[in-house]
Amino acid sequence: MARERSTSPQGSSSSTGAGTGKVKKTRWYHQVWQAFQITRQSDPAVTWIILAVFLGIVALGVVIGLLINQLVYVLILSIPFAVLGAMFVLARRAETAAYTRIEGQPGAALAALGTLRRGWTFTQEPVAVDPRTQDLVFRGVGRPGVVLVGEGPSHRVGKLLEAERKRTARVVSGAPIHLIQVGDGEGQVPLRKLPRTVTKLKPQLTKDEVAVVLRRVTSLGAAKLPVPKGIDPTRARPDRKGMRGR
């Protein structure tokens, strides 16, 4: 009698390792492509602007190479600079597009302030709200002191900011309080310039004093209101660790 040979299914070995697959990492070029796609939706000209910058820098390298009789060397050297120039333009245009998408929405100021890297603590909910007009005030604490950021027309939000300033002044024991209005009106700060305006404030408190002020203003509480999330303009910048293969 022929001896029966037992066979195993061909997929048995592969099925055991199916659940052990590694999660795919998001490479820097994927982030750049995503930022480009999002930017192009609101800024169709970004493609031609990036190409113009890239080719312009390369053309400049060709001219310099011809002048010094080192065409190949300078051309190769100009390509990385052309890439950096294109990335810089993309980052700027992506930042503008991000602010354009959230501008005018309640909580846009908080989304813009979220790009601040460190040194500031902002409430995730507005500390003052006008339920009738939807004007908002957000509060942050850092070494320059307390900053109150108001959203709304200047003739309305100014009163809301002043009322919150008086309420805050009762608990901060003389710490500086800065009032900033976000908007396009007279005396207001455009949304895209808000993070830069905050970072330009001069430090006046020590780290220990910041901790004390933060505890005191936290006791005041906050008004709850949903805040839209914006796009982080820094996503347009390449992940240098990913470029090195880490």
Side-chain angles (χ1 to χ4, degrees):
M1 290 180 63
R3 185 177 298 174
E4 280 189 28
R5 297 176 63 186
S6 59
T7 58
S8 59
Q10 294 180 356
S12 59
S13 60
S14 60
S15 63
T16 57
T20 59
K22 293 183 178 179
V23 179
K24 208 171 183 180
K25 290 184 178 180
T26 302
R27 298 296 183 183
W28 66 269
Y29 45 82
H30 292 150
Q31 296 178 355
V32 172
W33 178 250
Q34 183 182 12
F36 171 72
Q37 292 284 69
I38 294 173
T39 304
R40 191 171 60 173
Q41 293 176 5
S42 57
D43 186 8
V46 68
T47 303
W48 303 110
I49 294 173
I50 290 175
L51 283 175
V53 171
F54 181 87
L55 295 177
I57 295 176
V58 172
L60 180 62
V62 171
V63 172
I64 295 174
L66 290 173
L67 290 175
I68 64 175
N69 200 23
Q70 294 287 339
L71 177 60
V72 176
Y73 174 76
V74 178
L75 180 61
I76 294 175
L77 191 64
S78 66
I79 291 177
F81 285 99
V83 172
L84 288 176
M87 292 294 298
F88 177 80
V89 171
L90 176 59
R92 289 295 185 183
R93 306 290 288 200
E95 180 180 358
T96 302
Y99 288 132
T100 301
R101 289 169 68 91
I102 64 174
E103 197 167 10
Q105 298 185 39
L110 183 60
L113 292 168
T115 62
L116 295 176
R117 293 303 177 191
R118 58 184 178 179
W120 286 95
T121 302
F122 283 91
T123 56
Q124 296 305 303
E125 302 289 345
V127 294
V129 180
D130 188 330
R132 184 172 53 86
T133 62
Q134 295 299 304
D135 295 339
L136 307 174
V137 174
F138 295 96
R139 182 181 62 227
V141 179
R143 290 198 59 192
V146 180
V147 61
L148 299 175
V149 181
E151 288 185 4
S154 57
H155 65 277
R156 290 200 317 242
V157 76
K159 296 178 181 179
L160 195 63
L161 273 171
E162 182 59 24
E164 185 59 29
R165 186 196 66 79
K166 292 178 180 178
R167 191 169 78 104
T168 304
R170 298 191 191 104
V171 299
V172 295
S173 299
I177 301 176
H178 307 275
L179 305 183
I180 300 176
Q181 292 187 23
V182 179
D184 297 322
E186 186 178 354
Q188 294 186 320
V189 177
L191 182 65
R192 64 183 178 276
K193 294 183 179 180
L194 177 60
R196 196 178 309 166
T197 301
V198 174
T199 55
K200 284 184 177 179
L201 296 174
K202 294 182 179 179
Q204 300 184 47
L205 303 177
T206 65
K207 291 184 178 180
D208 292 337
E209 290 172 337
V210 170
V212 172
V213 171
L214 182 59
R215 284 197 300 269
R216 291 182 177 180
V217 297
T218 302
S219 65
L220 294 174
K224 291 190 176 181
L225 189 72
V227 175
K229 295 182 179 179
I231 304 168
D232 186 358
T234 58
R235 288 178 64 86
R237 299 174 185 172
D239 184 353
R240 303 198 182 278
K241 289 186 178 179
M243 294 175 68
R244 294 195 295 266
R246 294 182 182 178

